[in-house]
Amino acid sequence: MRDAGRSNAVGAPEARREARLVELGTAKPVAGVPGPGRWLVVDYGATALFSLKISLATSSVGKTLIVPTPYAVKMAYVDGGFRAGWADADCRAFLRALVDVEVRVAPPGDAVVTHTFVKVRQESRQGDPLRPYIASIAYREVVHHRGMWQWAFDLAGGDDWLAGRLVEAAPHVSYVGKRGSFIQFGGIARRVELGSGFTQPLDAGRQWAIPLRAHIAPLDDFGPEASLEVLSSFTETSPRRERHRRFVQTVIPIGLVNSGPGFSEYRAR
């Protein structure tokens, strides 16, 4: 279990962050990963179709995002911690430590979204106990990505304990977004800068680089009060916006280049 006194810096948050940035700017390994670089970048290959419904989607109209959100990435790593056999208390502390960590995603260069209608069974509104479900149809989208994902974690938002947990959990992450959107771990490294190939939040006062092609979408992330007790799928407590889950307008560095009745094609270049 995490030792609360293990943090590798003391003092005000700003002073700790400055000291952390200086440390990450050296070649000293962090969690066994040589530097320099504040960004821990993990490679994953998409081995199945990806799908993650936008926040405004309904059960009948499941329009998907092209990339996983920081919220989905962080939850995938918490799930990876459970799969690695960590204690519940460690997974709980890991999730809390991820609240202050910025996550950015670099999508592969080409993506095709398939638009389709599927047959589903829905709960009946008639209240007939003999027919609790009825046949219906639903709109679904799935994304085929060609190439490798890169997920970047800002190590300046945490300490060495968190960095070690990220490195340990990374190979245990097997899917992100909708269950069945499988991925395969490809490697891990550190970078000093990310460039315009990664997602960029449109926060006030922050500079961002213009990618060659892009679109903007609201991506969710952990809120300041996020906790395993609230975000777990097995709890009855509902997360509240801005407290446990927040949305950030984000530049996605891949743009629409072609579309038809049953597909949309996106490219980074």
Side-chain angles (χ1 to χ4, degrees):
M1 183 176 176
R2 183 181 192 183
D3 181 356
R6 191 177 299 169
S7 178
N8 53 352
V10 296
E14 295 78 10
R16 289 201 302 269
R17 187 176 181 84
E18 289 299 324
R20 183 65 169 164
L21 286 172
V22 171
E23 180 183 6
L24 295 172
T26 69
K28 176 185 175 184
V30 174
V33 183
R38 64 184 291 179
W39 293 99
L40 184 72
V41 180
V42 189
D43 295 343
Y44 289 99
T47 58
L49 298 175
F50 169 78
S51 182
L52 178 60
K53 290 196 296 186
I54 62 174
S55 58
L56 298 178
T58 65
S59 59
S60 299
V61 181
K63 187 174 176 61
T64 185
L65 293 163
I66 307 301
V67 299
T69 67
Y71 182 100
V73 170
K74 292 178 180 179
M75 290 302 286
Y77 267 70
V78 174
D79 179 71
F82 279 110
R83 293 176 186 274
W86 299 356
D88 289 0
D90 276 349
C91 292
R92 189 177 295 111
F94 183 48
L95 188 152
R96 282 297 308 162
L98 285 171
V99 168
D100 295 327
V101 175
E102 182 175 348
V103 173
R104 299 190 184 186
V105 174
D110 302 291
V112 175
V113 181
T114 297
H115 313 160
T116 185
F117 287 90
V118 296
K119 292 182 178 180
V120 298
R121 303 287 290 180
Q122 287 185 328
E123 286 189 70
S124 172
R125 297 180 180 176
Q126 305 301 321
D128 184 352
L130 298 179
R131 298 186 64 217
Y133 296 96
I134 60 173
S136 184
I137 60 171
Y139 176 76
R140 293 288 183 269
E141 291 183 349
V142 292
V143 189
H144 169 70
H145 283 285
R146 185 175 64 181
M148 298 290 288
W149 294 99
Q150 289 187 316
W151 299 354
F153 300 84
D154 187 3
L155 297 178
D159 55 15
D160 283 352
W161 179 87
L162 175 63
R165 287 304 196 187
L166 286 168
V167 172
E168 184 180 348
H172 296 276
V173 176
S174 57
Y175 80 93
V176 65
K178 186 178 179 61
R179 189 176 294 274
S181 299
F182 295 115
I183 54 178
Q184 185 171 26
F185 175 72
I188 195 165
R190 284 169 58 194
R191 286 193 194 178
V192 176
E193 296 180 349
L194 295 181
S196 61
F198 285 77
T199 54
Q200 300 173 77
L202 292 176
D203 292 341
R206 296 182 61 174
Q207 295 183 341
W208 55 282
I210 302 176
L212 186 60
R213 299 183 189 277
H215 67 282
I216 296 175
L219 303 186
D220 60 354
D221 197 353
F222 286 0
E225 299 179 32
S227 66
L228 186 61
E229 289 74 16
V230 175
L231 301 186
S232 171
S233 302
F234 301 99
T235 182
E236 296 182 355
T237 305
S238 299
R240 295 190 176 183
R241 190 160 182 155
E242 301 302 330
R243 289 180 55 189
H244 307 106
R245 186 184 181 197
R246 62 189 180 91
F247 290 84
V248 179
Q249 293 291 334
T250 304
V251 178
I252 314 295
I254 187 168
L256 181 67
V257 296
N258 194 10
S259 64
F263 76 98
S264 300
E265 180 183 3
Y266 291 79
R267 289 183 181 173
R269 295 184 178 278

